[in-house]
């Protein structure tokens, strides 16, 4: 078995340097990281998205995100974890999927370790990644999707789309992109490209919001969005730092780059706003922060200070272009810009890491860059990973959408009256107010 870096050894349930021994420092770090990543979805993302939603739909937006989290996590425990990180004896099957040996976490005990900390902690940590991935997609289709259809979609999608993607990238020896040496430190392809592209596909399939570009669609509270963005940034230290799978120097590097890139990205976004509109908005600054966080995610433990500066700045420019220009050019209704920010910035980070990763064997797992310093070869591997993930997400999301639609009456969209009244009252029987 090839010698991998600590986080990949953990994924394969192999001990670090042959020492299958619990480390209390690593365990504490992973438990804290898991807790702050969990906070990102039902608090950070819910507030971030909720503040940008019209007041008559803000509770529905919260409900979609919290619903996505709990349903996706249950799906993860039932089958997602086993498909992503389980094993089987069929080499061809193992290329794309794990096994079914850990359904409902069968065969795993509280005594089992993933490297230097309990396997149960690893399972929950990875489950929070699965949950936020599909929650990200909700930002593209808020204000118009049936809640029942959404929850069924979340459950099926987590198992048949997210879990296989996570396996191919992070699933250990035998997994397609893992074996090729694709670099994705904390989820540029697995989380952000996956969730952002799923959002765009859903937005196109379900159609535009009624009255788009004809009536004002003012956000309920930019301040709420800003607070949500701050919570996301806080949680991202667990997201990226925890992906070092231990309280070690790589976690420290990830914390540094996870601070630099979003800071540079926020400055870049505000400068672009001022250049084009002569205004510097709070929403723009927070959008820049999130774009920088997304962009650095696949590279957080691989790049140095200069690399994080470049990734943050360029990621912000690309996301700004996606939000301001690309969406208008093609006319799709990506309500809260899940595709524009998460997919595009994640795509940039996933490709840029090939040229900006530090050539240090302690920071890289097997691949062209580690083997021979071949950056172009590594870029080809990165390109392969984004194309394969994109295709799986595209096909899988379309199939799951139609299955979910058929299971909920043949339509995924709320009716005209419900959309007009607002989904808070129509679907949940609740109301909110402008802050």
């Amino acid at each position: 078995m090839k010698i991998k870096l600590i986080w990949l050894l953990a994924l394969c349930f192999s001990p670090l340097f042959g020492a299958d021994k619990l480390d209390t420092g690593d365990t504490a770090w992973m438990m804290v990281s898991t807790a702050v990543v969990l906070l990102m979805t039902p608090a950070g993302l819910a507030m971030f998205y909720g503040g940008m939603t019209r007041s008559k739909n803000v509770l529905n937006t919260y409900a979609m995100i919290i619903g996505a989290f709990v349903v996706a996590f249950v799906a993860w425990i039932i089958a997602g974890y086993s498909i992503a990180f389980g094993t089987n004896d069929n080499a061809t099957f193992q290329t794309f999927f794990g096994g079914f040996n850990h359904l409902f976490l069968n065969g795993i005990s509280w005594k089992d370790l993933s490297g230097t900390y309990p396997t149960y902690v690893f399972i929950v940590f990875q489950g929070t990644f699965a949950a936020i991935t599909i929650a990200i997609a909700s930002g593209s289709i808020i204000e118009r999707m049936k809640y029942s259809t959404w929850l069924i979609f979340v459950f099926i999608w987590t198992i048949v789309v997210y879990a296989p993607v996570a396996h191919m990238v992070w699933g250990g020896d035998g997994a397609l992109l893992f074996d090729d040496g694709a670099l994705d430190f904390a989820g540029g392809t697995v989380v952000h490209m996956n969730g952002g592209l799923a959002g765009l596909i859903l937005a196109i399939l379900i159609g535009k919001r009624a009255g788009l570009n004809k009536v004002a669609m003012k956000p309920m509270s930019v301040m709420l969005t800003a607070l949500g963005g701050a919570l996301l940034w806080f949680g991202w230290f667990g997201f990226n730092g925890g992906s070092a799978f231990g309280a070690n120097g790589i976690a420290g590097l990830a914390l540094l780059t996870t601070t630099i890139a979003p800071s540079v990205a926020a400055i870049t976004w505000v400068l672009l706003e001022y250049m084009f509109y002569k205004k510097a908005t709070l929403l723009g600054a927070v959008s820049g922060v999130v774009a920088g966080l997304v962009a650095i995610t696949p590279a957080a433990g691989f790049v140095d200070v200069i690399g994080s500066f470049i990734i943050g700045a360029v990621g912000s420019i690309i996301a700004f272009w996606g939000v301001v220009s690309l969406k208008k050019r093609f006319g799709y209704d990506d309500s809260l810009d899940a595709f524009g920010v998460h997919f595009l910035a994640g795509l940039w980070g996933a490709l840029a890491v090939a040229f900006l990763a530090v050539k240090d064997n302690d920071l890289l797992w097997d691949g062209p860059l580690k083997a021979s310093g071949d950056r172009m070869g590594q870029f080809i591997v990165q390109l392969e990973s984004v194309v394969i993930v994109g295709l799986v997400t595209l096909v899988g999301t379309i199939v799951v959408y139609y299955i979910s639609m058929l299971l909920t009456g043949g339509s995924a969209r709320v009716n005209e009256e419900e959309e007009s009244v607002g989904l808070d009252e129509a679907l949940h029987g609740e109301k909110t107010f402008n802050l």
Side-chain angles (χ1 to χ4, degrees), residues 273-298:
E273 278 191 325
Y274 193 80
M275 184 187 306
F276 287 101
Y277 306 113
K278 303 304 178 187
K279 300 287 184 182
T281 69
L282 175 60
L283 181 58
V286 177
S287 298
V289 165
V290 174
L293 289 166
V294 171
I296 199 62
T297 294

Side-chain angles (χ1 to χ4, degrees), residues 3 8 15 22 25 51 57 59 83 87 131 156 182 213 216-218 223 228 321 352 371 375 385 391 410 415 432-433:
I3 301 299
L8 298 176
L22 181 74
N57 294 311
L59 298 181
I83 292 170
T87 58
I156 301 172
N213 300 324
M217 295 188 175
K218 296 181 179 180
M223 179 60 74
W321 168 74
R375 290 195 181 276
S385 71
L391 288 173
N415 61 46
T432 188
F433 53 87

Side-chain angles (χ1 to χ4, degrees), residues 156-176:
I156 301 172
W157 191 91
T158 301
I159 294 173
V160 306
V161 178
Y162 179 84
V165 167
H167 174 78
M168 285 189 287
V169 178
W170 291 334
D173 288 323
L176 177 63

Side-chain angles (χ1 to χ4, degrees), residues 37-90:
V37 174
L38 187 152
L39 186 70
M40 292 173 72
T41 306
L45 190 64
M47 292 172 66
F48 183 75
Y49 277 173
M52 289 189 283
T53 306
R54 286 180 288 178
S55 57
K56 66 180 181 179
N57 294 311
V58 66
L59 298 181
N60 174 256
T61 301
Y62 264 73
M64 288 185 72
I65 293 169
I66 292 172
F69 184 90
V70 297
V71 171
F73 191 80
V74 169
W76 179 252
I77 298 301
I78 292 173
Y81 172 77
S82 187
I83 292 170
F85 296 108
T87 58
N88 64 84
D89 295 329
N90 187 309

Side-chain angles (χ1 to χ4, degrees), residues 120-428:
Y120 278 163
V121 176
F122 174 72
I123 292 168
V124 180
F125 181 73
Q126 289 294 335
T128 62
F129 278 52
I132 197 171
T133 300
I134 188 56
I136 287 169
S138 70
S140 295
I141 43 89
I142 56 99
E143 301 192 323
R144 58 198 191 275
M145 190 171 190
K146 285 182 181 178
Y147 194 53
S148 57
T149 307
W150 170 243
L151 295 182
I152 291 172
F153 176 87
V154 167
F155 183 86
I156 301 172
W157 191 91
T158 301
I159 294 173
V160 306
V161 178
Y162 179 84
V165 167
H167 174 78
M168 285 189 287
V169 178
W170 291 334
D173 288 323
L176 177 63
L177 299 173
F178 182 94
D179 273 0
D180 287 346
L183 300 177
D184 188 357
F185 187 79
T189 52
V190 176
V191 175
H192 296 290
M193 282 186 58
N194 200 2
L197 182 57
L200 175 65
I201 296 164
L202 288 174
I204 293 171
L205 291 173
I206 204 167
K208 300 176 184 179
R209 288 169 288 177
L212 183 68
N213 300 324
K214 296 178 181 178
V215 299
M217 295 188 175
K218 296 181 179 180
M220 191 198 78
S221 172
V222 174
M223 179 60 74
L224 189 66
T225 293
L227 290 173
L231 280 174
L232 284 172
W233 197 347
F234 173 75
W236 231 290
F237 288 117
F239 200 88
N240 288 351
S243 294
F245 294 104
N248 51 48
I250 298 169
L253 172 62
L255 261 65
L256 175 65
T257 58
T258 303
T259 309
I260 293 172
S263 299
V264 173
I267 294 169
T268 303
W269 194 295
V270 169
L271 289 174
L272 289 168
E273 278 191 325
Y274 193 80
M275 184 187 306
F276 287 101
Y277 306 113
K278 303 304 178 187
K279 300 287 184 182
T281 69
L282 175 60
L283 181 58
V286 177
S287 298
V289 165
V290 174
L293 289 166
V294 171
I296 199 62
T297 294
F302 299 135
V303 300
D304 58 12
V305 171
I306 299 301
S308 57
F309 264 82
I310 295 171
I311 287 175
V314 177
S316 185
I317 293 169
I318 291 173
F320 183 87
W321 168 74
V323 169
V324 172
S325 179
L326 188 68
K327 182 167 69 169
K328 184 182 298 184
R329 179 181 179 85
F330 288 99
Y332 54 82
D333 185 14
D334 180 10
S335 312
L336 306 181
D337 298 305
F339 176 80
V341 174
H342 290 272
F343 178 86
L344 293 179
L347 173 64
W348 153 247
L351 296 176
V353 68
F355 298 109
L356 296 173
V358 178
K359 289 191 284 187
D360 182 334
N361 284 349
D362 290 334
L363 296 180
L364 301 173
W365 59 72
D366 288 356
L369 188 55
K370 179 176 180 178
S372 60
D374 181 6
R375 290 195 181 276
M376 196 62 209
Q378 187 67 50
F379 176 77
I380 298 300
V381 170
Q382 298 302 109
L383 186 61
E384 174 197 13
S385 71
V386 301
V387 169
I388 290 174
V389 169
L391 288 173
V392 171
T393 305
L394 173 64
V395 175
T397 301
I398 293 172
V399 171
V400 174
Y401 171 82
Y402 282 109
I403 292 173
S404 304
M405 186 177 68
L406 291 173
L407 292 174
T408 52
S411 174
R413 186 162 182 150
V414 298
N415 61 46
E416 291 181 9
E417 182 181 355
E418 290 170 331
E419 192 169 351
S420 176
V421 169
L423 305 190
D424 292 359
E425 186 175 358
L427 300 187
H428 306 287

